[in-house]
Amino acid sequence: MILPNFETESWMTLHENNCTYNLADSCAKPLTIQELYDLADDKEQLKTDLFSMTLDYGPIEGSERLKQGILKLYQRQNTNELAICHGGINANELVLMTVLDRGDHIISLTPTYQQLYSLPASFGVEVDLIELREEKQWLPSLEDFVSLIKDNTKMICLNLPNNPTGTTLSDDMLMALVDLCRKHDLYLFVDEAYRGLYNELSISDIYEKGISTSGLSKILSTAGLRIGWIKTQDLSLIRLINERRDYHIISSGPLNDYLACIVLENQKKILERNRAILEENKRYLQQWLDDNEFVSCVIPEFGTVCFLHYHLSMPSCQLSEQLQKETGVFFVPGACFDKEYHLRFGLANDPETVKQGLSLFKKWLQKQ
């Protein structure tokens, strides 16, 4: 199995620890340990539980408390529909490697999260990509999917809201896609890492062959806890995934499980905080764009990322490296998503960082 370089993750690894203004991070502003501690209802019990905790494997398939917390993000309240994973990226991996076989065909998008098409292609899955276009608000049509379905098509594979554009399908479009998948007996797999800030539909709630993945990283501000999950009504698939997971992670560990429960039990407060951050940054971005001839953008309704389109002839990797070297402002270049003259911008980062970073970026652009 030969995998191509994971461009976005490699770029983040190389550059994100050497910047002053991180405008690339797709997670909502991370919580500190102090902030998480302050959220706990019974702080003395939390300290007692942590200091008495045995650092063994913990509940192998995740604690019941953890699963109940996750289910609050969904309409269907069945813990049997959940598999706990090591972050959303491991959840995606387990879905793709469990459902797909060599010779199967999937339909995905570009630009989107590279794992969703490069990983299955690496083990012999045929991949067709629908090219999203800025002039169409980075959204596909139903006909785009219809035209690519083949006899060996097994799955439509999406990331909603999309990374890097932040855009997502309307409820009507999503339901039409469900009808199409039902007609052809296809899995509809949606990486929903950015879903939930605004109570959007989950594919796992509305389609019997829908598979959703998510985790604590993006909208719940705790990527470091490495808790992710898979949710589907297909209970036989959950069983197969749990069996496969034993080869990958065994468990998530009792410390991560316990702290994730605190996060999930306070999800309303965290989501309210992060919606406020996102809306403040979106307002500032719109003002910044209105006064900036060098950059345009489709500002998404729901997502925590967007795709800035800059109007210079400089390639995106060169621009990103030069900008970071000269100003400390860090973006992920569009080249990591096979889309030149664009930059991925994290809309839910700390507002002061966003304002200072965009201000420096504008001044830098004016000198080019």
Side-chain angles (χ1 to χ4, degrees), residues 75-240:
Q75 295 174 11
R76 293 177 60 90
Q77 303 290 302
N78 184 350
T79 56
N80 293 326
E81 296 181 359
L82 285 172
I84 306 302
C85 310
H86 187 73
I89 196 166
N90 175 239
N92 292 345
E93 174 195 35
L94 287 169
V95 168
L96 295 168
M97 297 190 74
T98 304
V99 174
L100 299 173
D101 294 307
R102 179 178 296 275
D104 286 338
H105 172 249
I106 68 168
I107 302 167
S108 190
L109 308 174
T110 183
T112 197
Y113 195 52
Q114 185 181 338
Q115 182 196 26
L116 301 182
Y117 55 88
S118 286
L119 180 61
S122 74
F123 53 83
V125 172
E126 183 184 353
V127 178
D128 272 317
L129 298 176
I130 296 168
E131 184 176 357
L132 302 178
R133 298 183 182 279
E134 192 166 5
E135 60 268 24
K136 295 184 178 180
Q137 306 297 296
W138 300 115
L139 293 172
S141 69
L142 188 65
E143 182 54 38
D144 290 331
F145 294 100
V146 172
S147 66
L148 293 175
I149 292 175
K150 305 178 182 181
D151 290 341
N152 62 332
T153 304
K154 194 170 188 178
M155 175 186 284
I156 291 175
C157 187
L158 306 176
N159 174 210
L160 299 174
N162 179 262
N163 176 8
T165 68
T167 54
T168 195
L169 303 182
S170 67
D171 289 353
D172 288 345
M173 175 61 180
L174 187 60
M175 294 306 299
L177 197 54
V178 166
D179 290 341
L180 180 67
C181 289
R182 188 176 282 126
K183 176 182 177 181
H184 293 275
D185 193 31
L186 306 180
Y187 285 102
L188 183 47
F189 166 42
V190 185
D191 174 351
E192 296 178 346
Y194 302 92
R195 171 203 159 265
L197 274 173
Y198 296 90
N199 200 32
E200 313 96 285
L201 288 176
S202 169
I203 197 62
S204 65
D205 286 328
I206 61 175
Y207 178 40
E208 61 275 9
K209 294 192 73 171
I211 308 168
S212 66
T213 56
S214 194
L216 300 182
S217 298
K218 307 303 181 183
I219 67 167
L220 288 168
S221 300
T222 43
L225 292 182
R226 308 312 302 137
I227 294 290
W229 57 84
I230 300 161
K231 186 171 181 293
T232 179
Q233 298 177 38
D234 187 342
L235 301 187
S236 63
L237 179 56
I238 290 293
R239 177 181 58 79
L240 290 172

Side-chain angles (χ1 to χ4, degrees), residues 330-346:
F330 169 51
F331 288 109
V332 173
C336 291
F337 299 93
D338 293 323
K339 206 72 176 178
E340 271 299 356
Y341 310 114
H342 287 78
L343 303 166
R344 189 185 73 180
F345 170 43

